[in-house]
């Protein structure tokens, strides 16, 4: 049962990892300006070389005429984020648009999420309004996306965006829609996320509660395992040990719930929902476990092991009286809390029962095999930021019939210097991460799906 509990514990961590492993994170999207001096990143591979050249030519002409930076990005999926969150993070990471003007535009397309987004920099929100962005998406993009003509739809949207911006500055880019459109590149033969899984995780409450739910399952398995140890062991010390371990599933529940909040939220999105799911499950489980533990503790005070012969309640010898039944080395094991030996006698049939319970405070001695080895440590030299420290470790057997002792030194790592940066890597809007101009966006624009 212990092994089963451990398996569920690791599954609680690994299953969500497998679910989300295939997603492309925002930080992993290549910046086209630094990789190929381009305005286009086609990770979904739906554009083709001709369209990439067209997009680049359009964006370069737009920048020369108006200083506006138009970036076009296609991805397979959105890393379980909303397209709005993904766009804002990518916009800030790259710093699209000139820093002094915040005049960047991001055209983001997600193939398997079937979403498209026009993300607009602060300086263009009065020109490329949310309403106008919405109309561009549903008039120029969505009708073609429904036919599988992704590149054509995106290019039509890019031309319309460029026309609106250039017209506002009395510029004419002279770009017209082509008479003959290149054939649409077939999307890569790659299996999209399972429809059921995708549909389930599109629900923000399911998304927020996935890892906390699995964490609760893991904690429940361990809790049932500890309850079984308490129930089926006749030794009083074993029951007390099981009760002390009842806090383990609580710790796991809270720790994995918090880990789930960070993992599924990406440190920003769905934090409220995730913390609510994790905190609610952990709080309810905590109350349940604590009440059961207190009830068992009260019952244990008057506990008597049943006689295996006549089922009568047996009498427990106290710690002093049971020494008469123990060897000298067994008494030593009890003193260092490596073992606990219990002796019960039945008042009806005079049967004597002996129980042995391993305790965690002492380890087995490699020489005498008794659980009488204790570990002590002493710092010889403290670690600093510039040098390591030294710690002396002593392993000593407290069995009076054994003289085992082992001493060795251990290096203490240097004290790490305090971090000079704060926040996540995508939070900066500076242009140090790429050669875009350092612009920023506040979430203006519009999104659509098909």
């Amino acid at each position: 049962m212990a092994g089963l509990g451990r398996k569920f514990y690791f599954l609680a961590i690994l299953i969500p990892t497998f679910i989300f492993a295939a997603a492309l994170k925002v930080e992993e999207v290549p910046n086209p300006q630094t990789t190929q001096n381009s305005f286009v990143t086609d990770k979904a591979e739906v554009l083709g070389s001709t369209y990439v050249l067209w997009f680049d030519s359009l964006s370069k002409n737009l920048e020369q005429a108006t200083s506006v930076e138009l970036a076009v990005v296609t991805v397979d999926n959105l890393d379980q984020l909303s397209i709005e969150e993904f766009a804002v993070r990518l916009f800030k990471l790259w710093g699209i648009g000139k820093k002094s003007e915040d005049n960047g535009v991001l055209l983001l397309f997600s193939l398997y999420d079937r979403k498209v987004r026009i993300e607009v920099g602060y300086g263009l929100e009065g020109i490329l309004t949310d309403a106008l962005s919405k109309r561009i998406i549903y008039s120029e993009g969505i009708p073609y996306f429904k036919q599988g003509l992704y590149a054509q739809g995106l290019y039509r949207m890019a031309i319309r965006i460029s026309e609106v911006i250039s017209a506002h500055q009395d510029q004419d880019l002279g770009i017209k829609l082509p008479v003959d459109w290149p054939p649409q590149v077939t999307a890569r033969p790659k299996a999209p996320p399972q429809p059921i899984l995708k549909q389930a995780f599109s629900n923000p409450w399911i998304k927020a509660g996935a890892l906390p739910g699995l964490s609760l399952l893991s904690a429940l398995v361990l809790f049932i395992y500890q309850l079984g140890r308490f129930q089926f062991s006749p030794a009083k010390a074993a029951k007390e040990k099981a009760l002390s371990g009842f806090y383990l599933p609580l710790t796991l529940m809270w720790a994995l719930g918090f880990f789930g909040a960070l993992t599924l939220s990406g440190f920003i999105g769905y934090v409220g929902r995730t913390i609510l799911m994790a905190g609610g499950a952990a709080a309810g489980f905590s109350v349940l476990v604590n009440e059961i533990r207190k009830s068992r503790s009260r019952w244990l005070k008057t506990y008597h092991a049943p006689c295996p012969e006549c089922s009568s309640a047996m009498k427990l010898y106290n710690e002093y009286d049971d020494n008469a039944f123990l060897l000298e080395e067994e008494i030593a094991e009890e003193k260092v809390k490596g073992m606990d030996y219990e002796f019960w006698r039945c008042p009806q049939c005079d049967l004597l029962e002996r129980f042995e319970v391993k305790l965690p405070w002492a380890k087995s001695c490699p020489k005498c095999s008794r659980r009488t080895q204790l570990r002590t440590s002493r710092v010889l030299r403290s670690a600093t930021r510039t040098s390591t420290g030294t710690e002396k470790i002593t392993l000593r057997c407290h069995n009076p019939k054994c003289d085992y002792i082992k001493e060795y030194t251990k290096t203490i790592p240097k004290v790490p210097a305090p971090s000079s940066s704060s926040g996540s890597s995508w939070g900066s809007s500076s242009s140090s991460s790429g050669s875009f101009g350092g612009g920023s966006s506040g979430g203006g624009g519009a999104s659509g799906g098909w």
Side-chain angles (χ1 to χ4, degrees):
M1 187 65 181
L4 183 61
R6 294 190 190 98
K7 289 177 183 177
F8 273 89
Y9 167 72
F10 287 112
L11 280 175
I13 298 175
L14 293 177
I15 289 177
T17 303
F18 294 146
I19 290 173
F20 304 122
L24 179 71
K25 296 184 180 301
V26 175
E27 295 82 359
E28 297 171 351
V29 180
N31 185 329
Q33 286 283 291
T34 59
T35 57
Q36 51 193 4
N37 192 29
S38 169
F39 287 87
V40 184
T41 293
D42 184 23
K43 288 297 291 183
E45 297 182 7
V46 295
L47 300 181
S49 58
T50 301
Y51 281 103
V52 170
L53 290 175
W54 285 4
F55 278 115
D56 259 333
S57 177
L58 176 63
S59 295
K60 289 175 181 178
N61 289 339
L62 180 65
E63 183 185 23
Q64 289 175 0
T66 65
S67 80
V68 171
E69 294 179 350
L70 169 62
V72 180
V73 177
T74 74
V75 295
D76 289 315
N77 53 68
L78 298 167
D79 190 24
Q80 298 297 320
L81 299 175
S82 67
I83 194 168
E84 291 79 12
E85 286 178 291
F86 199 100
V88 168
R89 294 187 188 186
L90 190 61
F91 201 110
K92 289 182 178 180
L93 178 64
W94 290 357
I96 303 171
K98 300 300 183 283
K99 187 173 184 179
S100 58
E101 302 177 58
D102 291 327
N103 59 347
V105 180
L106 170 62
L107 180 53
L108 175 63
F109 172 91
S110 178
L111 178 60
Y112 293 131
D113 293 285
R114 302 173 67 85
K115 298 285 186 181
V116 67
R117 169 81 180 168
I118 299 175
E119 184 70 25
V120 181
Y122 282 117
L124 294 176
E125 288 183 353
I127 303 170
L128 198 58
T129 63
D130 295 355
L132 178 55
S133 297
K134 196 83 169 180
R135 287 199 298 272
I136 292 174
I137 289 174
Y138 280 93
S139 63
E140 305 294 341
I142 299 299
Y144 298 93
F145 298 157
K146 290 180 178 179
Q147 303 174 51
L149 302 175
Y150 308 124
Q152 185 177 153
L154 287 170
Y155 190 60
R156 288 175 178 272
M157 290 176 60
I159 288 181
R160 185 72 186 103
I161 291 169
S162 301
E163 288 175 344
V164 170
I165 295 171
S166 59
H168 186 267
Q169 297 189 23
D170 296 326
Q171 298 288 335
D172 184 7
L173 301 182
I175 299 177
K176 301 184 182 299
L177 291 175
V179 177
D180 297 319
W181 292 90
Q184 170 66 52
V185 175
T186 303
R188 286 177 294 170
K190 170 184 171 184
Q194 293 297 319
I196 296 177
L197 189 63
K198 178 181 177 182
Q199 183 179 2
F201 280 92
S202 65
N203 184 306
W205 287 100
I206 295 178
K207 174 182 174 182
L211 189 55
L214 290 171
S215 304
L216 178 59
L217 176 62
S218 174
L220 279 172
V221 170
L222 288 176
F223 173 66
I224 293 171
Y225 161 67
Q226 287 162 336
L227 200 63
R229 287 174 57 199
F230 181 93
Q231 188 70 30
F232 298 112
S233 176
K236 189 173 183 179
K239 292 181 180 294
E240 291 173 343
K241 182 180 177 182
L243 281 181
S244 66
F246 270 40
Y247 288 108
L248 177 60
L250 297 183
T251 304
L252 285 176
M253 185 62 226
W254 283 103
L256 292 177
F258 178 72
F259 174 72
L262 297 183
T263 301
L264 295 181
S265 67
F267 299 97
I268 288 293
Y270 299 110
V271 166
R273 293 189 186 95
T274 309
I275 291 178
L276 178 62
M277 300 290 285
F285 189 59
S286 298
V287 172
L288 172 65
V289 172
N290 195 49
E291 287 301 315
I292 293 176
R293 188 194 63 81
K294 289 193 296 185
S295 174
R296 295 285 178 170
S297 295
R298 291 192 297 266
W299 174 80
L300 193 57
K301 291 179 181 180
T302 58
Y303 170 73
H304 292 278
C307 175
E309 296 292 338
C310 64
S311 300
S312 300
M314 295 193 292
K315 179 183 178 182
L316 175 65
Y317 283 87
N318 61 43
E319 290 296 328
Y320 177 78
D321 292 337
D322 68 11
N323 286 348
F325 303 100
L326 297 175
L327 300 174
E328 187 176 5
E329 50 267 43
E330 291 175 335
I331 295 175
E333 286 180 313
E334 284 201 326
K335 284 184 178 179
V336 296
K337 296 184 178 180
M339 292 289 295
D340 187 88
Y341 296 95
E342 287 183 8
F343 291 88
W344 296 78
R345 187 177 294 278
C346 177
Q348 301 297 326
C349 59
D350 203 36
L351 177 69
L352 181 66
E353 278 282 291
R354 167 182 164 129
F355 298 114
E356 300 179 0
V357 180
K358 288 184 179 180
L359 300 179
W361 289 276
K363 304 298 182 183
S364 295
C365 172
K367 184 176 181 180
C368 68
S369 300
R370 290 289 181 178
R371 294 181 62 82
T372 48
Q373 177 186 284
L374 292 179
R375 179 186 186 277
T376 58
S377 63
R378 181 166 62 94
V379 176
L380 302 179
R381 185 177 71 251
S382 299
T384 65
R385 292 181 184 174
T386 57
S387 63
T388 59
T390 305
E391 182 182 17
K392 181 180 180 181
I393 309 296
T394 302
L395 303 177
R396 185 189 301 273
C397 180
H398 290 262
N399 180 1
K401 295 184 178 182
C402 179
D403 58 357
Y404 176 80
I405 182 172
K406 179 181 179 181
E407 295 180 334
Y408 62 94
T409 57
K410 177 183 177 183
T411 300
I412 304 174
K414 294 179 183 179
V415 177
S419 175
S420 59
S421 63
S422 60
S424 54
S425 60
W426 53 263
S428 171
S429 61
S430 70
S431 60
S432 60
S433 60
S435 56
F436 282 100
S440 58
S441 166
S447 306
W450 65 96

